């Protein structure tokens, strides 16, 4: 089960917007990226919360799990997401993404500590391996 641990400062109040924009294809080709962060060098939650993009996130000591040894980013597109609908009975908005599975990831990839959900506006593919690519905001998640 994956549970939100915190939302980065740049994404406060925008999580539903990012989800909705991908769901309705605004802009075309937008996606949510699922990115794994390596255990080695991982910065504190306080430091991660202040990063404004995936490129910022991996510019310091924090690194993405190497794009090799069976790991690759996942891109979630409109067909992968549920319609955003408020739960008026419980006064909340639940956003859900499909459970993610990586198979055949070799131990040479190292330990994983956190998953990050990034909004990618209007590009194709899962984004460059370097972590750049204009991600407007990210939402850090952890596995539980």
């Amino acid at each position: 089960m994956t549970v939100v641990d915190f939302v980065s400062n740049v994404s406060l109040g925008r999580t539903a917007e990012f989800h909705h924009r991908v769901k309705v294809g605004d802009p075309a080709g937008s996606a949510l990226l699922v990115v794994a962060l390596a255990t080695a060098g991982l910065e504190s939650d306080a430091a991660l919360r202040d990063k404004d993009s995936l490129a910022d996130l991996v510019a310091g000591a924090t690194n993405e799990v190497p794009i090799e040894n069976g790991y690759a980013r996942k891109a979630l597109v409109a067909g992968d997401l549920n319609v955003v609908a408020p739960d008026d009975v419980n006064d909340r908005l639940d956003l859900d993404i499909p459970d993610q599975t990586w198979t055949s990831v070799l131990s040479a990839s190292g330990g994983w500590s956190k998953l990050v959900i990034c909004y990618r506006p209007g590009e194709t593919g899962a984004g460059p391996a370097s972590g750049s690519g204009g991600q407007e905001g990210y939402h850090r998640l952890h596995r539980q």
Side-chain angles (χ1 to χ4, degrees):
M1 179 171 132
T2 302
V3 194
V4 173
D5 196 16
F6 72 76
V7 176
S8 64
N9 291 336
V10 73
S11 297
L12 292 173
R14 298 182 71 195
T15 305
E17 173 196 355
F18 291 146
H19 187 281
H20 176 73
R21 290 185 72 184
V22 172
K23 182 63 181 170
V24 300
D26 176 29
S30 60
L32 295 177
L33 301 181
V34 182
V35 178
L37 299 181
T39 301
L42 187 66
E43 296 169 273
S44 70
D45 285 355
L48 297 177
R49 185 177 282 118
D50 293 338
K51 309 287 180 141
D52 292 342
S53 68
L54 181 57
D56 291 343
L57 187 70
V58 298
T62 299
N63 292 299
E64 181 176 357
V65 170
I67 308 282
E68 53 201 40
N69 299 317
Y71 164 75
R73 293 177 182 175
K74 305 271 182 134
L76 303 175
V77 296
D80 299 320
L81 303 177
N82 293 328
V83 174
V84 177
D87 179 349
D88 293 329
V89 173
N90 294 301
D91 296 328
R92 66 181 185 214
L93 179 67
D94 294 324
L95 301 172
D96 190 31
I97 63 170
D99 292 341
Q100 301 299 300
T101 304
W102 284 263
T103 57
S104 303
V105 177
L106 304 175
S107 60
S109 292
W112 302 13
S113 286
K114 300 180 187 295
L115 293 178
V116 179
I117 308 299
C118 304
Y119 171 70
R120 186 197 63 209
E123 298 176 20
T124 59
S130 68
S132 61
Q135 288 80 7
E136 288 186 9
Y138 75 91
H139 321 283
R140 206 247 319 135
L141 303 177
H142 76 278
R143 293 185 299 186
Q144 194 175 45

PDB file of all heavy atoms in Angstrom, residues 40-66:
ATOM      1  N   ALA A  40      20.762   5.755  -0.866  1.00  0.00           N
ATOM      2  CA  ALA A  40      22.062   6.401  -0.671  1.00  0.00           C
ATOM      3  C   ALA A  40      21.971   7.888  -1.017  1.00  0.00           C
ATOM      4  O   ALA A  40      21.511   8.259  -2.094  1.00  0.00           O
ATOM      5  CB  ALA A  40      23.126   5.731  -1.531  1.00  0.00           C
ATOM      6  N   GLY A  41      22.377   8.756  -0.099  1.00  0.00           N
ATOM      7  CA  GLY A  41      22.416  10.189  -0.327  1.00  0.00           C
ATOM      8  C   GLY A  41      21.089  10.911  -0.163  1.00  0.00           C
ATOM      9  O   GLY A  41      21.009  12.117  -0.401  1.00  0.00           O
ATOM     10  N   LEU A  42      20.040  10.195   0.225  1.00  0.00           N
ATOM     11  CA  LEU A  42      18.712  10.789   0.321  1.00  0.00           C
ATOM     12  C   LEU A  42      18.690  11.914   1.353  1.00  0.00           C
ATOM     13  O   LEU A  42      19.101  11.738   2.496  1.00  0.00           O
ATOM     14  CB  LEU A  42      17.687   9.715   0.699  1.00  0.00           C
ATOM     15  CG  LEU A  42      16.234  10.147   0.665  1.00  0.00           C
ATOM     16  CD1 LEU A  42      15.794  10.459  -0.757  1.00  0.00           C
ATOM     17  CD2 LEU A  42      15.360   9.034   1.236  1.00  0.00           C
ATOM     18  N   GLU A  43      18.227  13.083   0.925  1.00  0.00           N
ATOM     19  CA  GLU A  43      18.128  14.233   1.807  1.00  0.00           C
ATOM     20  C   GLU A  43      16.899  14.111   2.715  1.00  0.00           C
ATOM     21  O   GLU A  43      16.014  13.302   2.478  1.00  0.00           O
ATOM     22  CB  GLU A  43      18.044  15.514   0.975  1.00  0.00           C
ATOM     23  CG  GLU A  43      19.303  15.771   0.165  1.00  0.00           C
ATOM     24  CD  GLU A  43      19.127  16.869  -0.852  1.00  0.00           C
ATOM     25  OE1 GLU A  43      18.674  16.556  -1.972  1.00  0.00           O
ATOM     26  OE2 GLU A  43      19.439  18.017  -0.521  1.00  0.00           O
ATOM     27  N   SER A  44      16.829  14.940   3.729  1.00  0.00           N
ATOM     28  CA  SER A  44      15.717  14.918   4.687  1.00  0.00           C
ATOM     29  C   SER A  44      14.418  15.362   4.025  1.00  0.00           C
ATOM     30  O   SER A  44      14.423  16.055   3.004  1.00  0.00           O
ATOM     31  CB  SER A  44      16.025  15.848   5.863  1.00  0.00           C
ATOM     32  OG  SER A  44      15.974  17.202   5.426  1.00  0.00           O
ATOM     33  N   ASP A  45      13.294  14.991   4.632  1.00  0.00           N
ATOM     34  CA  ASP A  45      11.995  15.426   4.134  1.00  0.00           C
ATOM     35  C   ASP A  45      11.919  16.948   4.078  1.00  0.00           C
ATOM     36  O   ASP A  45      11.354  17.511   3.149  1.00  0.00           O
ATOM     37  CB  ASP A  45      10.870  14.890   5.019  1.00  0.00           C
ATOM     38  CG  ASP A  45      10.614  13.404   4.807  1.00  0.00           C
ATOM     39  OD1 ASP A  45      11.235  12.799   3.922  1.00  0.00           O
ATOM     40  OD2 ASP A  45       9.770  12.853   5.547  1.00  0.00           O
ATOM     41  N   ALA A  46      12.480  17.631   5.071  1.00  0.00           N
ATOM     42  CA  ALA A  46      12.453  19.096   5.095  1.00  0.00           C
ATOM     43  C   ALA A  46      13.161  19.666   3.864  1.00  0.00           C
ATOM     44  O   ALA A  46      12.680  20.631   3.256  1.00  0.00           O
ATOM     45  CB  ALA A  46      13.093  19.621   6.372  1.00  0.00           C
ATOM     46  N   ALA A  47      14.274  19.079   3.469  1.00  0.00           N
ATOM     47  CA  ALA A  47      14.999  19.547   2.276  1.00  0.00           C
ATOM     48  C   ALA A  47      14.232  19.197   1.007  1.00  0.00           C
ATOM     49  O   ALA A  47      14.114  20.018   0.088  1.00  0.00           O
ATOM     50  CB  ALA A  47      16.399  18.944   2.234  1.00  0.00           C
ATOM     51  N   LEU A  48      13.692  17.982   0.924  1.00  0.00           N
ATOM     52  CA  LEU A  48      12.961  17.549  -0.273  1.00  0.00           C
ATOM     53  C   LEU A  48      11.709  18.390  -0.495  1.00  0.00           C
ATOM     54  O   LEU A  48      11.355  18.695  -1.638  1.00  0.00           O
ATOM     55  CB  LEU A  48      12.587  16.072  -0.162  1.00  0.00           C
ATOM     56  CG  LEU A  48      13.744  15.081  -0.084  1.00  0.00           C
ATOM     57  CD1 LEU A  48      13.208  13.669   0.106  1.00  0.00           C
ATOM     58  CD2 LEU A  48      14.630  15.165  -1.312  1.00  0.00           C
ATOM     59  N   ARG A  49      11.043  18.756   0.562  1.00  0.00           N
ATOM     60  CA  ARG A  49       9.790  19.515   0.476  1.00  0.00           C
ATOM     61  C   ARG A  49       9.991  20.856  -0.235  1.00  0.00           C
ATOM     62  O   ARG A  49       9.073  21.373  -0.858  1.00  0.00           O
ATOM     63  CB  ARG A  49       9.247  19.738   1.883  1.00  0.00           C
ATOM     64  CG  ARG A  49       7.905  20.396   1.938  1.00  0.00           C
ATOM     65  CD  ARG A  49       7.394  20.526   3.372  1.00  0.00           C
ATOM     66  NE  ARG A  49       6.876  19.243   3.807  1.00  0.00           N
ATOM     67  CZ  ARG A  49       7.368  18.543   4.838  1.00  0.00           C
ATOM     68  NH1 ARG A  49       8.365  18.991   5.555  1.00  0.00           N
ATOM     69  NH2 ARG A  49       6.836  17.382   5.160  1.00  0.00           N
ATOM     70  N   ASP A  50      11.182  21.414  -0.138  1.00  0.00           N
ATOM     71  CA  ASP A  50      11.450  22.732  -0.720  1.00  0.00           C
ATOM     72  C   ASP A  50      11.912  22.687  -2.172  1.00  0.00           C
ATOM     73  O   ASP A  50      12.103  23.734  -2.791  1.00  0.00           O
ATOM     74  CB  ASP A  50      12.497  23.470   0.119  1.00  0.00           C
ATOM     75  CG  ASP A  50      11.971  23.826   1.502  1.00  0.00           C
ATOM     76  OD1 ASP A  50      10.737  23.903   1.679  1.00  0.00           O
ATOM     77  OD2 ASP A  50      12.796  24.016   2.411  1.00  0.00           O
ATOM     78  N   LYS A  51      12.082  21.516  -2.741  1.00  0.00           N
ATOM     79  CA  LYS A  51      12.500  21.382  -4.148  1.00  0.00           C
ATOM     80  C   LYS A  51      11.286  21.629  -5.037  1.00  0.00           C
ATOM     81  O   LYS A  51      10.186  21.179  -4.741  1.00  0.00           O
ATOM     82  CB  LYS A  51      13.072  19.998  -4.421  1.00  0.00           C
ATOM     83  CG  LYS A  51      14.158  19.564  -3.442  1.00  0.00           C
ATOM     84  CD  LYS A  51      15.456  20.284  -3.660  1.00  0.00           C
ATOM     85  CE  LYS A  51      16.481  19.790  -2.652  1.00  0.00           C
ATOM     86  NZ  LYS A  51      17.806  19.647  -3.186  1.00  0.00           N
ATOM     87  N   ASP A  52      11.490  22.336  -6.158  1.00  0.00           N
ATOM     88  CA  ASP A  52      10.372  22.732  -7.005  1.00  0.00           C
ATOM     89  C   ASP A  52      10.173  21.886  -8.257  1.00  0.00           C
ATOM     90  O   ASP A  52       9.177  22.046  -8.945  1.00  0.00           O
ATOM     91  CB  ASP A  52      10.533  24.192  -7.431  1.00  0.00           C
ATOM     92  CG  ASP A  52      10.363  25.142  -6.246  1.00  0.00           C
ATOM     93  OD1 ASP A  52       9.806  24.736  -5.211  1.00  0.00           O
ATOM     94  OD2 ASP A  52      10.811  26.291  -6.362  1.00  0.00           O
ATOM     95  N   SER A  53      11.112  21.028  -8.588  1.00  0.00           N
ATOM     96  CA  SER A  53      10.973  20.194  -9.781  1.00  0.00           C
ATOM     97  C   SER A  53      11.782  18.920  -9.560  1.00  0.00           C
ATOM     98  O   SER A  53      12.597  18.846  -8.627  1.00  0.00           O
ATOM     99  CB  SER A  53      11.471  20.919 -11.026  1.00  0.00           C
ATOM    100  OG  SER A  53      12.871  21.087 -10.965  1.00  0.00           O
ATOM    101  N   LEU A  54      11.595  17.962 -10.435  1.00  0.00           N
ATOM    102  CA  LEU A  54      12.386  16.738 -10.349  1.00  0.00           C
ATOM    103  C   LEU A  54      13.859  17.047 -10.587  1.00  0.00           C
ATOM    104  O   LEU A  54      14.729  16.498  -9.913  1.00  0.00           O
ATOM    105  CB  LEU A  54      11.876  15.699 -11.349  1.00  0.00           C
ATOM    106  CG  LEU A  54      12.602  14.362 -11.352  1.00  0.00           C
ATOM    107  CD1 LEU A  54      12.572  13.700  -9.978  1.00  0.00           C
ATOM    108  CD2 LEU A  54      11.996  13.437 -12.399  1.00  0.00           C
ATOM    109  N   ALA A  55      14.146  17.946 -11.504  1.00  0.00           N
ATOM    110  CA  ALA A  55      15.536  18.331 -11.747  1.00  0.00           C
ATOM    111  C   ALA A  55      16.156  18.917 -10.477  1.00  0.00           C
ATOM    112  O   ALA A  55      17.295  18.596 -10.132  1.00  0.00           O
ATOM    113  CB  ALA A  55      15.613  19.331 -12.890  1.00  0.00           C
ATOM    114  N   ASP A  56      15.411  19.759  -9.753  1.00  0.00           N
ATOM    115  CA  ASP A  56      15.894  20.306  -8.479  1.00  0.00           C
ATOM    116  C   ASP A  56      16.092  19.193  -7.454  1.00  0.00           C
ATOM    117  O   ASP A  56      17.045  19.203  -6.688  1.00  0.00           O
ATOM    118  CB  ASP A  56      14.902  21.309  -7.889  1.00  0.00           C
ATOM    119  CG  ASP A  56      14.792  22.590  -8.681  1.00  0.00           C
ATOM    120  OD1 ASP A  56      15.681  22.878  -9.501  1.00  0.00           O
ATOM    121  OD2 ASP A  56      13.788  23.309  -8.476  1.00  0.00           O
ATOM    122  N   LEU A  57      15.166  18.262  -7.448  1.00  0.00           N
ATOM    123  CA  LEU A  57      15.182  17.181  -6.460  1.00  0.00           C
ATOM    124  C   LEU A  57      16.457  16.352  -6.565  1.00  0.00           C
ATOM    125  O   LEU A  57      17.047  15.986  -5.554  1.00  0.00           O
ATOM    126  CB  LEU A  57      13.954  16.289  -6.657  1.00  0.00           C
ATOM    127  CG  LEU A  57      13.714  15.218  -5.621  1.00  0.00           C
ATOM    128  CD1 LEU A  57      13.304  15.829  -4.295  1.00  0.00           C
ATOM    129  CD2 LEU A  57      12.641  14.263  -6.105  1.00  0.00           C
ATOM    130  N   VAL A  58      16.899  16.075  -7.775  1.00  0.00           N
ATOM    131  CA  VAL A  58      18.083  15.227  -7.955  1.00  0.00           C
ATOM    132  C   VAL A  58      19.361  16.031  -8.207  1.00  0.00           C
ATOM    133  O   VAL A  58      20.401  15.457  -8.519  1.00  0.00           O
ATOM    134  CB  VAL A  58      17.869  14.178  -9.080  1.00  0.00           C
ATOM    135  CG1 VAL A  58      16.724  13.242  -8.711  1.00  0.00           C
ATOM    136  CG2 VAL A  58      17.615  14.843 -10.422  1.00  0.00           C
ATOM    137  N   ALA A  59      19.298  17.350  -8.031  1.00  0.00           N
ATOM    138  CA  ALA A  59      20.484  18.185  -8.226  1.00  0.00           C
ATOM    139  C   ALA A  59      21.396  18.168  -7.000  1.00  0.00           C
ATOM    140  O   ALA A  59      22.574  18.476  -7.113  1.00  0.00           O
ATOM    141  CB  ALA A  59      20.072  19.623  -8.546  1.00  0.00           C
ATOM    142  N   GLY A  60      20.870  17.806  -5.841  1.00  0.00           N
ATOM    143  CA  GLY A  60      21.680  17.770  -4.622  1.00  0.00           C
ATOM    144  C   GLY A  60      22.195  16.366  -4.373  1.00  0.00           C
ATOM    145  O   GLY A  60      22.570  15.640  -5.295  1.00  0.00           O
ATOM    146  N   ALA A  61      22.172  15.950  -3.116  1.00  0.00           N
ATOM    147  CA  ALA A  61      22.657  14.622  -2.740  1.00  0.00           C
ATOM    148  C   ALA A  61      21.676  13.518  -3.118  1.00  0.00           C
ATOM    149  O   ALA A  61      22.053  12.366  -3.289  1.00  0.00           O
ATOM    150  CB  ALA A  61      22.934  14.581  -1.232  1.00  0.00           C
ATOM    151  N   THR A  62      20.392  13.864  -3.255  1.00  0.00           N
ATOM    152  CA  THR A  62      19.356  12.886  -3.582  1.00  0.00           C
ATOM    153  C   THR A  62      19.483  12.456  -5.038  1.00  0.00           C
ATOM    154  O   THR A  62      19.694  13.284  -5.919  1.00  0.00           O
ATOM    155  CB  THR A  62      17.959  13.480  -3.327  1.00  0.00           C
ATOM    156  OG1 THR A  62      17.853  13.809  -1.938  1.00  0.00           O
ATOM    157  CG2 THR A  62      16.855  12.528  -3.713  1.00  0.00           C
ATOM    158  N   ASN A  63      19.335  11.160  -5.288  1.00  0.00           N
ATOM    159  CA  ASN A  63      19.444  10.625  -6.646  1.00  0.00           C
ATOM    160  C   ASN A  63      18.289   9.702  -6.964  1.00  0.00           C
ATOM    161  O   ASN A  63      17.766   9.012  -6.083  1.00  0.00           O
ATOM    162  CB  ASN A  63      20.747   9.828  -6.814  1.00  0.00           C
ATOM    163  CG  ASN A  63      21.948  10.731  -6.762  1.00  0.00           C
ATOM    164  OD1 ASN A  63      22.101  11.618  -7.583  1.00  0.00           O
ATOM    165  ND2 ASN A  63      22.802  10.521  -5.771  1.00  0.00           N
ATOM    166  N   GLU A  64      17.933   9.667  -8.233  1.00  0.00           N
ATOM    167  CA  GLU A  64      16.980   8.678  -8.715  1.00  0.00           C
ATOM    168  C   GLU A  64      17.683   7.327  -8.749  1.00  0.00           C
ATOM    169  O   GLU A  64      18.900   7.257  -8.937  1.00  0.00           O
ATOM    170  CB  GLU A  64      16.503   9.060 -10.117  1.00  0.00           C
ATOM    171  CG  GLU A  64      15.492   8.104 -10.696  1.00  0.00           C
ATOM    172  CD  GLU A  64      14.950   8.553 -12.045  1.00  0.00           C
ATOM    173  OE1 GLU A  64      15.310   9.639 -12.531  1.00  0.00           O
ATOM    174  OE2 GLU A  64      14.162   7.786 -12.615  1.00  0.00           O
ATOM    175  N   VAL A  65      16.938   6.254  -8.576  1.00  0.00           N
ATOM    176  CA  VAL A  65      17.495   4.922  -8.755  1.00  0.00           C
ATOM    177  C   VAL A  65      18.040   4.865 -10.185  1.00  0.00           C
ATOM    178  O   VAL A  65      17.394   5.366 -11.116  1.00  0.00           O
ATOM    179  CB  VAL A  65      16.399   3.845  -8.530  1.00  0.00           C
ATOM    180  CG1 VAL A  65      16.878   2.470  -8.940  1.00  0.00           C
ATOM    181  CG2 VAL A  65      15.948   3.857  -7.072  1.00  0.00           C
ATOM    182  N   PRO A  66      19.226   4.314 -10.391  1.00  0.00           N
ATOM    183  CA  PRO A  66      19.807   4.299 -11.741  1.00  0.00           C
ATOM    184  C   PRO A  66      18.876   3.649 -12.776  1.00  0.00           C
ATOM    185  O   PRO A  66      18.288   2.604 -12.520  1.00  0.00           O
ATOM    186  CB  PRO A  66      21.080   3.461 -11.571  1.00  0.00           C
ATOM    187  CG  PRO A  66      21.409   3.546 -10.124  1.00  0.00           C
ATOM    188  CD  PRO A  66      20.096   3.670  -9.407  1.00  0.00           C
TER     189      PRO A  66
END
